[in-house]
Amino acid sequence: LHSGMQSGAMLQAKRILNGLHPAEIADLLESLPRSQRLIVWDMVDNEQDGEILVEVGDEVRNSLLREMQTADLVDALEGLDTDDMADLLQSLPEAVIQETLGNMKKLDRERVEAVLSYEEGTAGALMNTDTTTIRPNVTLEVVQRYMRKLGELPEGTDRLYVVDYFNKFLGVLYLRTLVTAKPSATVSEVMQQVVNPVTADIDEHDIARLFEDRDLLSVPVVDEQQHLLGRITIDDVVDVIREEADKSLMNRAGLSEEEDIFAPVVKSTRRRSIWLGANLLTAFLASWVIGLFEG
């Protein structure tokens, strides 16, 4: 009976756990000691693994990855956005990276490899390549039929990107325009041409300021010849802003926002030795000054 109650409680806990958003599960995993963390990780449904691994810090992620089989890692990457997949791939062993890329469709593999080719912290590494493009000489009715044929749009889509035959960026067609303008109007007649795309080498913090200043939801990324490469969406920018805030807060204690707060004491001490040493020296200095004025 006791065993049955334990089993029933475990099933209920598992249902509650998997009803949470992946980001909430990630926060829970980061807040638990390693032994309890692994128990919770085993309770998570496999289809959520990828989204959770993207959300947790580097050290916690590595501790979870060590518990996973190669096949499970490959499955975890399926269904992720290109930018998230590229971020997660960089944390994996080379053998897993090659196996994952080898199992992808040619187009998906090319997209991920393109994002991986950009330096970390740039617009190219931050962007997603799942853009929906249209030509300028078609009518909105044709575009609407094309949308229905696609069946779904990438998450965070607020605009369609207008390109020519050579994939050169020309402008954007907002979805609100698509559903309110006359179906007989052509894309070139109603599209917005005064849109400043960003190049792939721009720093991600400059991108964050751009989104803040212009209240953007997304922005196109182009190369030097103005060919469309991808797009950056507000959810990616929020992550940059949050990471910067976390970094500023944690640095005050000599920590990194990617560290595991439950890391072994010896490891944490070694990692924070410079900060701890500086604090010790200032403590000695303060004690010496107080001693001078003791009388």
Side-chain angles (χ1 to χ4, degrees):
L1 179 62
H2 178 67
S3 176
M5 289 177 64
Q6 279 193 323
S7 177
M10 183 65 75
L11 288 174
Q12 184 178 5
K14 187 173 182 179
R15 280 196 298 269
I16 294 172
L17 175 67
N18 288 287
L20 299 175
H21 188 277
E24 294 173 324
I25 299 177
D27 289 340
L28 174 62
L29 290 168
E30 289 183 331
S31 67
L32 292 173
R34 189 174 185 275
S35 58
Q36 297 178 29
R37 179 186 299 156
L38 296 180
I39 294 173
V40 172
W41 181 238
D42 287 337
M43 295 168 61
V44 174
D45 289 341
N46 293 340
E47 57 265 25
Q48 295 209 76
D49 285 355
E51 295 285 354
I52 295 170
L53 288 170
V54 169
E55 295 289 342
V56 295
D58 286 349
E59 282 198 9
V60 175
R61 178 190 299 163
N62 290 335
S63 72
L64 299 176
L65 290 174
R66 285 194 291 269
E67 305 298 320
M68 298 180 68
Q69 301 296 322
T70 300
D72 295 331
L73 289 173
V74 174
D75 291 340
L77 287 162
E78 291 184 7
L80 293 179
D81 291 339
T82 307
D83 53 341
D84 290 337
M85 192 180 297
D87 286 342
L88 188 50
L89 273 173
Q90 292 174 333
S91 304
L92 301 180
E94 184 64 27
V96 179
I97 295 176
Q98 295 305 321
E99 181 175 349
T100 303
L101 293 175
N103 289 338
M104 286 182 186
K105 295 177 182 178
K106 184 175 183 292
L107 180 60
D108 291 338
R109 183 171 63 252
E110 290 174 349
R111 287 174 171 175
V112 173
E113 289 174 341
V115 174
L116 286 172
S117 68
Y118 294 103
E119 186 177 348
E120 188 175 357
T122 63
L126 191 64
M127 73 178 180
N128 205 328
T129 57
D130 61 351
T131 54
T132 304
T133 59
I134 54 176
R135 298 285 172 76
N137 57 341
V138 299
T139 65
L140 299 188
E141 184 179 5
V142 171
V143 175
Q144 290 173 351
R145 287 205 303 268
Y146 173 57
M147 295 296 101
R148 286 192 290 269
K149 184 179 179 181
L150 287 178
E152 61 179 356
L153 293 173
E155 288 189 22
T157 298
D158 65 322
R159 63 186 79 179
L160 308 176
Y161 297 100
V162 185
V163 296
D164 64 13
Y165 181 79
F166 301 102
N167 199 43
K168 187 173 182 179
F169 178 76
L170 301 176
V172 299
L173 175 65
Y174 289 98
L175 293 185
R176 62 177 182 267
T177 303
L178 177 62
V179 298
T180 57
K182 293 181 179 179
S184 58
T186 63
V187 171
S188 60
E189 291 174 340
V190 296
M191 73 179 189
Q192 296 291 321
Q193 294 177 290
V194 187
V195 175
N196 295 322
V198 298
T199 54
D201 59 347
I202 291 180
D203 187 88
E204 62 181 15
H205 297 102
D206 293 331
I207 297 292
R209 281 192 290 272
L210 180 67
F211 270 73
E212 180 183 4
D213 293 342
R214 302 188 184 180
D215 296 327
L216 299 174
L217 296 178
S218 66
V219 68
V221 182
V222 298
D223 62 16
E224 294 180 355
Q225 288 75 40
Q226 295 296 299
H227 296 123
L228 183 66
L229 299 175
R231 66 184 180 125
I232 296 174
T233 50
I234 186 63
D235 58 310
D236 301 315
V237 175
V238 168
D239 288 341
V240 172
I241 296 172
R242 186 197 65 193
E243 288 169 8
E244 185 65 21
D246 289 347
K247 182 178 181 180
S248 177
L249 180 64
M250 299 292 277
N251 280 348
R252 297 177 186 177
L255 297 169
S256 164
E257 75 277 10
E258 298 294 349
E259 290 174 10
D260 182 359
I261 61 174
F262 292 101
V265 173
V266 174
K267 182 178 181 181
S268 295
T269 303
R270 185 170 59 249
R271 186 169 51 212
R272 301 174 63 197
S273 58
I274 295 177
W275 183 86
L276 291 171
N279 276 268
L280 185 61
L281 287 174
T282 55
F284 282 140
L285 179 62
S287 178
W288 177 71
V289 172
I290 292 172
L292 290 178
F293 296 94
E294 186 173 5

